[in-house]
Amino acid sequence: GDSVTQMEGPVTLSEEAFLTINCTYTATGYPSLFWYVQYPGEGLQLLLKATKADDKGSNKGFEATYRKETTSFHLEKGSVQVSDSAVYFCALNTRGYSTLTFGKGTMLLVSP
Amino acid sequence: KAGVTQTPRYLIKTRGQQVTLSCSPISGHRSVSWYQQTPGQGLQFLFEYFSETQRNKGNFPGRFSGRQFSNSRSEMNVSTLELGDSALYLCASSSGGTGPANTDTQYFGPGTRLTVL
């Protein structure tokens, strides 16, 4: 079945550092790929998405490129802020439906 | 445009009781999906409703059920609660697109935190 693998956390960075959170997937067909972010005590917010190979999703300084050849969708940000501290989830839609398969999530902690 | 709303935000129940959670989707969205989030299992899909019909189902026991109304609002019911049902229950809405190259996007509500004592 479909699956998503994310790097284990927590990822601890200082403010203004470069961020990479790795995400690889296994899926049949042509899934869309997503990054969601969850702040403490809240639900999931869509951060960015890409719907086909070589697409780049971007939002709020975050970027991720849909790499079909390596089945990856790594999240990057050039300069993190304390306010970026949250849990980040990589996901794909599966079996042709909107239903999402999620990775385990990666906690990001940014210190001043 | 208003987002996805869920009520109540917090619930405390005891083992053996039943509970009903409610979700109102974004206006115009016809699909509502439910997910359970726990520290051990992460985010797991429960079921999806589209136009009042259950279209997709995850691997949960029959104690978990749901329904969708004609205005697309959805309810989820858990009967005979167990301690392991303590979790954050998230609802997501989307337009409900399907197909091999589906680009539909799900938008999540804030969740209902259920604690079973």
Side-chain angles (χ1 to χ4, degrees):
Chain A
D2 296 349
S3 66
V4 176
T5 303
Q6 285 181 242
M7 59 189 290
E8 297 255 349
V11 173
T12 305
L13 295 172
S14 298
E15 208 166 22
E16 298 183 4
F18 185 85
L19 168 71
T20 299
I21 299 178
N22 291 336
C23 170
T24 57
Y25 68 91
T26 302
T28 54
Y30 304 95
S32 292
L33 302 175
F34 305 85
W35 278 100
Y36 284 86
V37 59
Q38 186 174 37
Y39 297 98
E42 298 185 11
L44 300 178
Q45 296 179 25
L46 177 67
L47 183 58
L48 54 85
K49 72 174 188 180
T51 59
K52 61 183 188 297
D54 299 324
D55 261 3
K56 178 185 281 189
S58 61
N59 186 27
K60 299 180 181 179
F62 291 90
E63 293 182 340
T65 300
Y66 190 142
R67 301 287 188 200
K68 193 174 179 185
E69 64 277 11
T70 55
T71 61
S72 64
F73 193 54
H74 304 321
L75 183 68
E76 297 182 335
K77 187 177 186 184
S79 176
V80 294
Q81 305 300 313
V82 171
S83 58
D84 294 327
S85 296
V87 180
Y88 292 80
F89 292 91
C90 184
L92 59 82
N93 65 353
T94 187
R95 300 193 299 275
Y97 292 101
S98 307
T99 303
L100 293 169
T101 297
F102 286 92
K104 294 284 188 186
T106 302
M107 179 178 288
L108 170 65
L109 299 171
V110 181
S111 57
Chain B
K1 198 183 243 189
V4 179
T5 58
Q6 292 186 246
T7 57
R9 292 292 310 277
Y10 301 92
L11 268 177
I12 299 175
K13 294 286 186 180
T14 57
R15 277 180 299 175
Q17 288 187 308
Q18 74 166 14
V19 67
T20 298
L21 314 182
S22 181
C23 172
S24 293
I26 291 170
S27 177
H29 283 183
R30 296 169 64 191
S31 169
V32 173
S33 297
W34 290 88
Y35 295 83
Q36 181 195 65
Q37 185 179 24
T38 60
Q41 298 300 316
L43 282 152
Q44 294 184 287
F45 169 70
L46 281 154
F47 31 67
E48 181 208 9
Y49 285 85
F50 180 82
S51 293
E52 301 179 63
T53 301
Q54 188 181 86
R55 185 166 69 171
N56 206 358
K57 187 177 186 302
N59 189 27
F60 277 81
R63 300 185 296 107
F64 292 82
S65 63
R67 59 178 175 168
Q68 186 179 35
F69 302 94
S70 59
N71 61 358
S72 293
R73 189 177 71 85
S74 177
E75 288 182 347
M76 189 190 96
N77 184 274
V78 187
S79 63
T80 319
L81 284 166
E82 300 177 358
L83 294 178
D85 297 332
S86 294
L88 180 67
Y89 290 88
L90 292 163
C91 162
S93 79
S94 73
S95 61
T98 60
N102 180 24
T103 62
D104 201 32
T105 299
Q106 293 199 334
Y107 296 90
F108 285 80
T112 295
R113 172 75 62 186
L114 172 64
T115 302
V116 182
L117 303 176

